[in-house]
Amino acid sequence: MPINSGFPYPLYLVISERDCAGRPLLWVAEEAIRGGVDIIQLREKEMSNDAFLKQARALKKLTDKFGIPLVINDAVDIAIAVEAWGVHVGQQDSAPLEIAEKFADRLHIGWSLEDIAQLESEQMAAVDHLGLSPIYATATKTDTITEWGIDGISEVRKMTDKPLIAIGRMHAGNAVAALAAGANSIAVVSSICQAPDPRAASQQLKNLLL
Ligand SMILES: Cc1ncc(COP(=O)(O)OP(=O)(O)O)c(N)n1
Ligand SMILES: Cc1nc(C(=O)O)sc1CCOP(=O)(O)O
Ligand SMILES: [Mg+2]
């Protein structure tokens, strides 16, 4: 699959301590990077701010060592504090325009798209890439609304040139179809974080995406 120059990160790992099946997050992250993950988002929904910041600093050291971008979920202040590459926000989080007003030169902004009408939002002016939320309903995040499915990716692809990230129950069995429909990146939690061998799981996915 051709790499998109606006988002040259076909394999996107979203990671949290909770989802690592009892193993240290930094170990899972390093194995995943060695297996070919291109970008990592730290998504900690159940941690204190201080613990999230500490985890983010540790993960930033690791992503810097391997030269891959780090994205922080939701917490713009933590993204700035650790000099992350980007932040990912959803419809209930800080608005992309507000983030861009202060930090456009310091953060790439990802935004969750839950409905086709959101493509018409003024917020789109500040958005660098979109997470299609979700492609398929997943036990990892249960507060989603509808499913885009593979046809939904094609529909959105026709309406925007922004890089599209497919997220929600993505795995080796549906990743190629998602890219063929117009996604530029496949974002996963369980397919890597719950795998007995996260490095091998990452390698398997990455081989499908190249
Ligand atoms: C790449 C990517 N896409 C979508 C999401 C979901 O973000 P959001 O809707 O804000 O939900 P939470 O992750 O905050 O629960 C994401 N994190 N990453
Ligand atoms: C973080 C996240 N956001 C989603 C969305 O739909 O916005 S789904 C999701 C979790 C994806 O986990 P898994 O790969 O285990 O299905
Ligand atoms: Mg969010």
Side-chain angles (χ1 to χ4, degrees):
M1 299 287 167
I3 298 282
N4 180 289
S5 58
F7 196 85
Y9 311 115
L11 184 55
Y12 188 149
L13 174 65
V14 179
I15 196 166
S16 62
E17 191 83 54
R18 184 195 67 178
D19 294 316
C20 287
R23 301 162 303 186
L25 178 144
L26 291 177
W27 178 81
V28 174
E30 179 159 349
E31 288 297 294
I33 295 170
R34 290 189 186 278
V37 154
D38 299 295
I39 183 168
I40 299 186
Q41 177 190 135
L42 181 61
R43 175 176 180 266
E44 292 294 3
K45 308 295 278 190
E46 294 165 0
M47 262 184 188
S48 68
N49 214 48
D50 284 355
F52 191 176
L53 178 59
K54 197 170 160 206
Q55 188 80 285
R57 283 198 202 288
L59 188 54
K60 179 68 163 46
K61 256 192 204 160
L62 183 73
T63 53
D64 280 355
K65 177 175 158 193
F66 287 93
I68 72 165
L70 175 67
V71 174
I72 299 294
N73 184 58
D74 292 347
V76 179
D77 54 343
I78 291 179
I80 289 297
V82 304
E83 298 183 24
W85 176 89
V87 66
H88 187 93
V89 287
Q91 298 291 326
Q92 315 301 327
D93 301 320
S94 303
L97 280 170
E98 283 170 25
I99 300 169
E101 198 180 349
K102 288 191 197 156
F103 303 120
D105 52 339
R106 293 165 71 182
L107 289 176
H108 294 82
I109 301 174
W111 197 43
S112 300
L113 193 78
E114 296 176 344
D115 188 292
I116 201 86
Q118 290 158 358
L119 285 175
E120 304 302 323
S121 162
E122 59 177 6
Q123 298 298 330
M124 283 290 285
V127 170
D128 295 301
H129 49 269
L130 290 164
L132 295 187
S133 169
I135 302 305
Y136 299 114
T138 170
T140 311
K141 174 174 162 69
T142 53
D143 60 345
T144 55
I145 304 169
T146 53
E147 296 179 322
W148 286 103
I150 299 296
D151 289 348
I153 301 174
S154 310
E155 189 188 358
V156 178
R157 180 74 293 161
K158 286 184 201 131
M159 297 179 70
T160 179
D161 290 332
K162 298 219 193 259
L164 301 179
I165 300 157
I167 189 164
R169 217 180 338 132
M170 299 306 300
H171 52 72
N174 58 21
V176 172
L179 285 203
N184 304 107
S185 180
I186 304 301
V188 305
V189 178
S190 311
S191 295
I192 291 176
C193 293
Q194 302 277 324
D197 183 342
R199 188 191 303 209
S202 304
Q203 265 163 354
Q204 187 200 8
L205 274 166
K206 187 64 177 285
N207 287 339
L208 292 170
L209 302 179
L210 292 178

